[in-house]
Every structure is written in C-alpha cells, then in structure tokens.
Amino acid sequence: EFGYYQGYSYTVKKDNTIRVYGYKGDVEGNELVIPSKMWGKTVTEIYLSYALDKKIKRIVFPDTVTDISITEPNVEYVSIPNSVKRISKLIINAKNIELPDSINEIGDSAFGGYEVLESIKLPKGVKEIGNFTFYECKNLKSVNLENVKSIGHSAFIRCKNLKEITISSDCSTIGPYAF
C-alpha cells in the first residue's frame, strides 16, 4: 500500500508499519521532524534518497524508527534515536557522525561515497563491517574497529586519507582489498 500523509510519501509494509521515503511539504525553518505514526500505523523505517527540499538541513527521527537509509547531501544533522538498530545507508553533509549504542548492524555500502565524512564513532554492538561500507570516504582520517570481528571486501578501499585504524585482536576475518 502506497500513500501520502501531511506531505510524506510512504508505503505500508507487510507487518502493517510504515516506511517513509519522501517529503514534499513545508517546514518551518530548516528542520524536518518526522512523526511516529501515520494513519494510526507506526513509522519504523526511513528511506530518503534525494527526496527532500534543499532548505531542510536537520532531520529528527521518531523513537519508533529501527532502520535508516538516507542519502541527502544537503542535510547537515540527523537525530538518530536509540530505537535504531540498523543503518542501511547514511550520507549527509556532516564531517563527524556518532551512532547510538543501539545500532548493531551497518549495511553493505552504508557510507560508501560519503566524501565529507572525517570521523565516525561506531557503537560497541557493531561486530561486522560489510562489503564496501566505507568505500570512497575520501576524507575519513581514522576509525576504531576495536569491537569488530569481521571486515568485508573493499570495506575501506579508496579512503585516501585514512591514516589510523584500530583493529581488535579478535577480528578473525579481513576481506580482500579491505584497505
């Protein structure tokens, strides 16, 4: 089921929750606050890819969201609640990202091509860095992988400014061309 709610484009998932994938309404200032419910159904996923007005610089997610996938290069700040368990994609215009400890999964290519990213704080629950996760993060300078047990294929390839990497002695798998 596909629909609109106060400027939001959404689909209803099989579990009767909402995936938001666009917004074409007005905002006051530069902040978009996404509601936790639409038509009585809970918003659990946000999938935005070049779907927002360029004046939106900040996004606040409801504490019902569990999965985020965003490619919005004009957004400078996102408020990620502790309900989020997975980052499928996160590319915004921020140099530093701190992910909440609730996140335990980061998708393949999640930060791939995120050129302005300089530093990221990974939560302790993230045990695997998938394939191409930080591919072409050209300004990433350092990364702490002290809790990571597996690093996928080409995970950090073309990160030309990556100078400092901390890897746990418990890391049992480092894929081909990881660095």
Side-chain angles (χ1 to χ4, degrees), residues 13 26 30 36 69 77 89 97 101 103 105 108 111 113-114 125-126 134 144 148 158 160 164 172 179:
K13 298 175 8 187
D26 291 327
N30 64 2
S36 62
S69 178
Y77 173 82
K89 188 84 169 166
I97 296 288
D101 286 335
I103 294 171
E105 186 178 355
D108 287 351
F111 301 96
Y114 188 159
V126 174
F134 292 95
N144 186 332
V148 173
R158 296 191 182 160
K160 64 182 182 182
E164 185 178 329
S172 58
F179 299 96

PDB file of all heavy atoms in Angstrom, residues 13 26 30 36 69 77 89 97 101 103 105 108 111 113-114 125-126 134 144 148 158 160 164 172 179:
ATOM      1  N   LYS A  13       4.259  -1.586   5.096  1.00  0.00           N
ATOM      2  CA  LYS A  13       4.994  -2.843   4.988  1.00  0.00           C
ATOM      3  C   LYS A  13       4.091  -4.020   5.367  1.00  0.00           C
ATOM      4  O   LYS A  13       3.009  -3.833   5.908  1.00  0.00           O
ATOM      5  CB  LYS A  13       6.223  -2.793   5.898  1.00  0.00           C
ATOM      6  CG  LYS A  13       7.193  -1.684   5.495  1.00  0.00           C
ATOM      7  CD  LYS A  13       8.366  -1.499   6.425  1.00  0.00           C
ATOM      8  CE  LYS A  13       8.513  -2.515   7.476  1.00  0.00           C
ATOM      9  NZ  LYS A  13       9.510  -2.286   8.458  1.00  0.00           N
ATOM     10  N   ASP A  26       5.805  21.735   3.523  1.00  0.00           N
ATOM     11  CA  ASP A  26       6.504  22.908   4.044  1.00  0.00           C
ATOM     12  C   ASP A  26       7.096  22.588   5.412  1.00  0.00           C
ATOM     13  O   ASP A  26       6.566  21.780   6.165  1.00  0.00           O
ATOM     14  CB  ASP A  26       5.544  24.087   4.185  1.00  0.00           C
ATOM     15  CG  ASP A  26       5.079  24.613   2.836  1.00  0.00           C
ATOM     16  OD1 ASP A  26       5.869  24.556   1.877  1.00  0.00           O
ATOM     17  OD2 ASP A  26       3.929  25.068   2.747  1.00  0.00           O
ATOM     18  N   ASN A  30      14.497  25.117   9.078  1.00  0.00           N
ATOM     19  CA  ASN A  30      15.218  24.141   8.245  1.00  0.00           C
ATOM     20  C   ASN A  30      15.170  22.725   8.813  1.00  0.00           C
ATOM     21  O   ASN A  30      15.940  21.872   8.419  1.00  0.00           O
ATOM     22  CB  ASN A  30      16.662  24.582   8.059  1.00  0.00           C
ATOM     23  CG  ASN A  30      17.436  24.613   9.370  1.00  0.00           C
ATOM     24  OD1 ASN A  30      16.922  24.283  10.426  1.00  0.00           O
ATOM     25  ND2 ASN A  30      18.691  25.020   9.299  1.00  0.00           N
ATOM     26  N   SER A  36       5.844   9.841  14.545  1.00  0.00           N
ATOM     27  CA  SER A  36       5.986   8.426  14.899  1.00  0.00           C
ATOM     28  C   SER A  36       4.847   7.572  14.345  1.00  0.00           C
ATOM     29  O   SER A  36       4.984   6.355  14.239  1.00  0.00           O
ATOM     30  CB  SER A  36       6.065   8.254  16.415  1.00  0.00           C
ATOM     31  OG  SER A  36       4.866   8.715  17.014  1.00  0.00           O
ATOM     32  N   SER A  69      17.863   4.689   6.054  1.00  0.00           N
ATOM     33  CA  SER A  69      18.613   4.715   4.804  1.00  0.00           C
ATOM     34  C   SER A  69      18.448   6.114   4.213  1.00  0.00           C
ATOM     35  O   SER A  69      17.372   6.466   3.739  1.00  0.00           O
ATOM     36  CB  SER A  69      18.082   3.665   3.823  1.00  0.00           C
ATOM     37  OG  SER A  69      18.810   3.750   2.614  1.00  0.00           O
ATOM     38  N   TYR A  77      22.549  17.533   9.756  1.00  0.00           N
ATOM     39  CA  TYR A  77      22.413  16.909  11.069  1.00  0.00           C
ATOM     40  C   TYR A  77      21.207  15.974  11.066  1.00  0.00           C
ATOM     41  O   TYR A  77      20.157  16.319  10.534  1.00  0.00           O
ATOM     42  CB  TYR A  77      22.220  17.974  12.153  1.00  0.00           C
ATOM     43  CG  TYR A  77      21.897  17.405  13.504  1.00  0.00           C
ATOM     44  CD1 TYR A  77      22.900  16.929  14.336  1.00  0.00           C
ATOM     45  CD2 TYR A  77      20.583  17.326  13.945  1.00  0.00           C
ATOM     46  CE1 TYR A  77      22.615  16.394  15.573  1.00  0.00           C
ATOM     47  CE2 TYR A  77      20.283  16.791  15.190  1.00  0.00           C
ATOM     48  CZ  TYR A  77      21.301  16.325  16.000  1.00  0.00           C
ATOM     49  OH  TYR A  77      21.008  15.793  17.219  1.00  0.00           O
ATOM     50  N   LYS A  89      21.950   2.999   5.064  1.00  0.00           N
ATOM     51  CA  LYS A  89      22.711   3.995   4.303  1.00  0.00           C
ATOM     52  C   LYS A  89      22.653   5.293   5.097  1.00  0.00           C
ATOM     53  O   LYS A  89      21.611   5.632   5.659  1.00  0.00           O
ATOM     54  CB  LYS A  89      22.091   4.189   2.919  1.00  0.00           C
ATOM     55  CG  LYS A  89      22.881   5.043   1.978  1.00  0.00           C
ATOM     56  CD  LYS A  89      23.924   4.202   1.293  1.00  0.00           C
ATOM     57  CE  LYS A  89      24.594   4.919   0.148  1.00  0.00           C
ATOM     58  NZ  LYS A  89      25.796   4.233  -0.270  1.00  0.00           N
ATOM     59  N   ILE A  97      30.203  11.827  12.610  1.00  0.00           N
ATOM     60  CA  ILE A  97      28.983  11.081  12.915  1.00  0.00           C
ATOM     61  C   ILE A  97      29.229  10.264  14.180  1.00  0.00           C
ATOM     62  O   ILE A  97      30.261   9.603  14.316  1.00  0.00           O
ATOM     63  CB  ILE A  97      28.606  10.114  11.764  1.00  0.00           C
ATOM     64  CG1 ILE A  97      28.278  10.889  10.493  1.00  0.00           C
ATOM     65  CG2 ILE A  97      27.458   9.202  12.168  1.00  0.00           C
ATOM     66  CD1 ILE A  97      26.982  11.641  10.506  1.00  0.00           C
ATOM     67  N   ASP A 101      24.473   3.633  20.647  1.00  0.00           N
ATOM     68  CA  ASP A 101      24.857   2.274  21.004  1.00  0.00           C
ATOM     69  C   ASP A 101      23.812   1.229  20.630  1.00  0.00           C
ATOM     70  O   ASP A 101      24.108   0.044  20.619  1.00  0.00           O
ATOM     71  CB  ASP A 101      25.170   2.175  22.500  1.00  0.00           C
ATOM     72  CG  ASP A 101      26.502   2.818  22.844  1.00  0.00           C
ATOM     73  OD1 ASP A 101      27.367   2.901  21.948  1.00  0.00           O
ATOM     74  OD2 ASP A 101      26.683   3.226  24.004  1.00  0.00           O
ATOM     75  N   ILE A 103      22.625   0.648  17.776  1.00  0.00           N
ATOM     76  CA  ILE A 103      22.875   0.119  16.429  1.00  0.00           C
ATOM     77  C   ILE A 103      23.802  -1.086  16.504  1.00  0.00           C
ATOM     78  O   ILE A 103      24.876  -1.023  17.099  1.00  0.00           O
ATOM     79  CB  ILE A 103      23.455   1.209  15.508  1.00  0.00           C
ATOM     80  CG1 ILE A 103      22.400   2.288  15.286  1.00  0.00           C
ATOM     81  CG2 ILE A 103      23.920   0.622  14.177  1.00  0.00           C
ATOM     82  CD1 ILE A 103      22.880   3.508  14.581  1.00  0.00           C
ATOM     83  N   GLU A 105      23.887  -3.191  13.465  1.00  0.00           N
ATOM     84  CA  GLU A 105      24.080  -3.623  12.079  1.00  0.00           C
ATOM     85  C   GLU A 105      24.261  -2.411  11.170  1.00  0.00           C
ATOM     86  O   GLU A 105      23.510  -1.443  11.246  1.00  0.00           O
ATOM     87  CB  GLU A 105      22.875  -4.439  11.615  1.00  0.00           C
ATOM     88  CG  GLU A 105      23.048  -5.038  10.252  1.00  0.00           C
ATOM     89  CD  GLU A 105      21.851  -5.893   9.841  1.00  0.00           C
ATOM     90  OE1 GLU A 105      20.928  -6.105  10.656  1.00  0.00           O
ATOM     91  OE2 GLU A 105      21.858  -6.323   8.689  1.00  0.00           O
ATOM     92  N   ASP A 108      25.920  -3.134   3.875  1.00  0.00           N
ATOM     93  CA  ASP A 108      26.946  -3.007   2.845  1.00  0.00           C
ATOM     94  C   ASP A 108      26.801  -1.647   2.173  1.00  0.00           C
ATOM     95  O   ASP A 108      25.679  -1.183   1.940  1.00  0.00           O
ATOM     96  CB  ASP A 108      26.784  -4.104   1.781  1.00  0.00           C
ATOM     97  CG  ASP A 108      27.209  -5.476   2.271  1.00  0.00           C
ATOM     98  OD1 ASP A 108      27.784  -5.581   3.362  1.00  0.00           O
ATOM     99  OD2 ASP A 108      26.947  -6.450   1.544  1.00  0.00           O
ATOM    100  N   PHE A 111      28.100   3.745   4.051  1.00  0.00           N
ATOM    101  CA  PHE A 111      28.712   5.069   3.991  1.00  0.00           C
ATOM    102  C   PHE A 111      29.499   5.253   2.695  1.00  0.00           C
ATOM    103  O   PHE A 111      30.246   6.214   2.551  1.00  0.00           O
ATOM    104  CB  PHE A 111      29.621   5.287   5.202  1.00  0.00           C
ATOM    105  CG  PHE A 111      28.906   5.172   6.513  1.00  0.00           C
ATOM    106  CD1 PHE A 111      28.902   3.984   7.220  1.00  0.00           C
ATOM    107  CD2 PHE A 111      28.202   6.247   7.028  1.00  0.00           C
ATOM    108  CE1 PHE A 111      28.224   3.859   8.420  1.00  0.00           C
ATOM    109  CE2 PHE A 111      27.518   6.138   8.231  1.00  0.00           C
ATOM    110  CZ  PHE A 111      27.529   4.939   8.925  1.00  0.00           C
ATOM    111  N   GLY A 113      30.935   6.369  -0.588  1.00  0.00           N
ATOM    112  CA  GLY A 113      30.854   7.626  -1.328  1.00  0.00           C
ATOM    113  C   GLY A 113      30.592   8.842  -0.462  1.00  0.00           C
ATOM    114  O   GLY A 113      30.406   9.946  -0.977  1.00  0.00           O
ATOM    115  N   TYR A 114      30.602   8.689   0.849  1.00  0.00           N
ATOM    116  CA  TYR A 114      30.345   9.794   1.781  1.00  0.00           C
ATOM    117  C   TYR A 114      31.636  10.610   1.878  1.00  0.00           C
ATOM    118  O   TYR A 114      32.448  10.423   2.762  1.00  0.00           O
ATOM    119  CB  TYR A 114      29.950   9.209   3.124  1.00  0.00           C
ATOM    120  CG  TYR A 114      29.452  10.155   4.188  1.00  0.00           C
ATOM    121  CD1 TYR A 114      28.686   9.666   5.226  1.00  0.00           C
ATOM    122  CD2 TYR A 114      29.748  11.504   4.205  1.00  0.00           C
ATOM    123  CE1 TYR A 114      28.220  10.481   6.238  1.00  0.00           C
ATOM    124  CE2 TYR A 114      29.288  12.338   5.198  1.00  0.00           C
ATOM    125  CZ  TYR A 114      28.523  11.806   6.225  1.00  0.00           C
ATOM    126  OH  TYR A 114      28.072  12.633   7.224  1.00  0.00           O
ATOM    127  N   GLY A 125      28.155  -2.549  19.658  1.00  0.00           N
ATOM    128  CA  GLY A 125      27.402  -3.702  19.168  1.00  0.00           C
ATOM    129  C   GLY A 125      27.673  -4.055  17.719  1.00  0.00           C
ATOM    130  O   GLY A 125      27.277  -5.131  17.258  1.00  0.00           O
ATOM    131  N   VAL A 126      28.357  -3.177  16.995  1.00  0.00           N
ATOM    132  CA  VAL A 126      28.663  -3.465  15.586  1.00  0.00           C
ATOM    133  C   VAL A 126      29.855  -4.415  15.546  1.00  0.00           C
ATOM    134  O   VAL A 126      30.964  -4.046  15.911  1.00  0.00           O
ATOM    135  CB  VAL A 126      28.948  -2.171  14.787  1.00  0.00           C
ATOM    136  CG1 VAL A 126      29.415  -2.494  13.379  1.00  0.00           C
ATOM    137  CG2 VAL A 126      27.713  -1.291  14.744  1.00  0.00           C
ATOM    138  N   PHE A 134      32.658   1.644   3.738  1.00  0.00           N
ATOM    139  CA  PHE A 134      33.227   2.996   3.730  1.00  0.00           C
ATOM    140  C   PHE A 134      33.940   3.302   2.410  1.00  0.00           C
ATOM    141  O   PHE A 134      34.808   4.163   2.350  1.00  0.00           O
ATOM    142  CB  PHE A 134      34.197   3.166   4.904  1.00  0.00           C
ATOM    143  CG  PHE A 134      33.515   3.146   6.245  1.00  0.00           C
ATOM    144  CD1 PHE A 134      33.428   1.968   6.975  1.00  0.00           C
ATOM    145  CD2 PHE A 134      32.947   4.290   6.762  1.00  0.00           C
ATOM    146  CE1 PHE A 134      32.796   1.941   8.198  1.00  0.00           C
ATOM    147  CE2 PHE A 134      32.316   4.274   7.990  1.00  0.00           C
ATOM    148  CZ  PHE A 134      32.238   3.090   8.708  1.00  0.00           C
ATOM    149  N   ASN A 144      37.982   3.420  14.602  1.00  0.00           N
ATOM    150  CA  ASN A 144      38.235   2.482  15.683  1.00  0.00           C
ATOM    151  C   ASN A 144      37.332   1.269  15.481  1.00  0.00           C
ATOM    152  O   ASN A 144      36.108   1.378  15.569  1.00  0.00           O
ATOM    153  CB  ASN A 144      37.957   3.151  17.032  1.00  0.00           C
ATOM    154  CG  ASN A 144      38.356   2.260  18.185  1.00  0.00           C
ATOM    155  OD1 ASN A 144      38.353   1.039  18.092  1.00  0.00           O
ATOM    156  ND2 ASN A 144      38.677   2.884  19.303  1.00  0.00           N
ATOM    157  N   VAL A 148      34.975  -4.948  16.313  1.00  0.00           N
ATOM    158  CA  VAL A 148      34.613  -5.591  15.052  1.00  0.00           C
ATOM    159  C   VAL A 148      35.349  -6.923  14.903  1.00  0.00           C
ATOM    160  O   VAL A 148      36.549  -7.011  15.126  1.00  0.00           O
ATOM    161  CB  VAL A 148      34.927  -4.640  13.868  1.00  0.00           C
ATOM    162  CG1 VAL A 148      34.737  -5.334  12.537  1.00  0.00           C
ATOM    163  CG2 VAL A 148      34.053  -3.392  13.954  1.00  0.00           C
ATOM    164  N   ARG A 158      39.856   3.024  -1.265  1.00  0.00           N
ATOM    165  CA  ARG A 158      39.820   4.410  -1.748  1.00  0.00           C
ATOM    166  C   ARG A 158      39.518   5.428  -0.649  1.00  0.00           C
ATOM    167  O   ARG A 158      38.996   6.498  -0.924  1.00  0.00           O
ATOM    168  CB  ARG A 158      38.853   4.556  -2.911  1.00  0.00           C
ATOM    169  CG  ARG A 158      39.292   3.755  -4.115  1.00  0.00           C
ATOM    170  CD  ARG A 158      38.508   4.097  -5.334  1.00  0.00           C
ATOM    171  NE  ARG A 158      38.956   3.262  -6.438  1.00  0.00           N
ATOM    172  CZ  ARG A 158      38.240   3.056  -7.511  1.00  0.00           C
ATOM    173  NH1 ARG A 158      37.072   3.629  -7.658  1.00  0.00           N
ATOM    174  NH2 ARG A 158      38.713   2.290  -8.460  1.00  0.00           N
ATOM    175  N   LYS A 160      41.526   7.561   0.914  1.00  0.00           N
ATOM    176  CA  LYS A 160      42.908   8.012   0.719  1.00  0.00           C
ATOM    177  C   LYS A 160      43.500   8.767   1.907  1.00  0.00           C
ATOM    178  O   LYS A 160      44.711   8.881   2.009  1.00  0.00           O
ATOM    179  CB  LYS A 160      43.019   8.840  -0.553  1.00  0.00           C
ATOM    180  CG  LYS A 160      42.239  10.129  -0.536  1.00  0.00           C
ATOM    181  CD  LYS A 160      42.381  10.860  -1.855  1.00  0.00           C
ATOM    182  CE  LYS A 160      41.631  12.174  -1.832  1.00  0.00           C
ATOM    183  NZ  LYS A 160      41.718  12.862  -3.089  1.00  0.00           N
ATOM    184  N   GLU A 164      44.800   6.161  10.465  1.00  0.00           N
ATOM    185  CA  GLU A 164      44.833   5.461  11.741  1.00  0.00           C
ATOM    186  C   GLU A 164      43.652   4.505  11.841  1.00  0.00           C
ATOM    187  O   GLU A 164      42.503   4.908  11.709  1.00  0.00           O
ATOM    188  CB  GLU A 164      44.773   6.473  12.890  1.00  0.00           C
ATOM    189  CG  GLU A 164      44.914   5.854  14.243  1.00  0.00           C
ATOM    190  CD  GLU A 164      44.892   6.910  15.338  1.00  0.00           C
ATOM    191  OE1 GLU A 164      45.327   8.040  15.099  1.00  0.00           O
ATOM    192  OE2 GLU A 164      44.422   6.573  16.436  1.00  0.00           O
ATOM    193  N   SER A 172      38.621 -11.785  13.186  1.00  0.00           N
ATOM    194  CA  SER A 172      39.045 -13.040  12.586  1.00  0.00           C
ATOM    195  C   SER A 172      38.991 -13.041  11.058  1.00  0.00           C
ATOM    196  O   SER A 172      39.576 -13.906  10.418  1.00  0.00           O
ATOM    197  CB  SER A 172      38.188 -14.191  13.119  1.00  0.00           C
ATOM    198  OG  SER A 172      36.828 -13.946  12.837  1.00  0.00           O
ATOM    199  N   PHE A 179      41.416  -2.681   2.717  1.00  0.00           N
ATOM    200  CA  PHE A 179      42.026  -1.374   2.891  1.00  0.00           C
ATOM    201  C   PHE A 179      42.783  -1.009   1.643  1.00  0.00           C
ATOM    202  O   PHE A 179      43.387  -0.074   1.464  1.00  0.00           O
ATOM    203  CB  PHE A 179      42.962  -1.368   4.100  1.00  0.00           C
ATOM    204  CG  PHE A 179      42.230  -1.671   5.387  1.00  0.00           C
ATOM    205  CD1 PHE A 179      42.204  -2.965   5.894  1.00  0.00           C
ATOM    206  CD2 PHE A 179      41.554  -0.681   6.067  1.00  0.00           C
ATOM    207  CE1 PHE A 179      41.534  -3.248   7.071  1.00  0.00           C
ATOM    208  CE2 PHE A 179      40.889  -0.950   7.239  1.00  0.00           C
ATOM    209  CZ  PHE A 179      40.882  -2.241   7.747  1.00  0.00           C
TER     210      PHE A 179
END
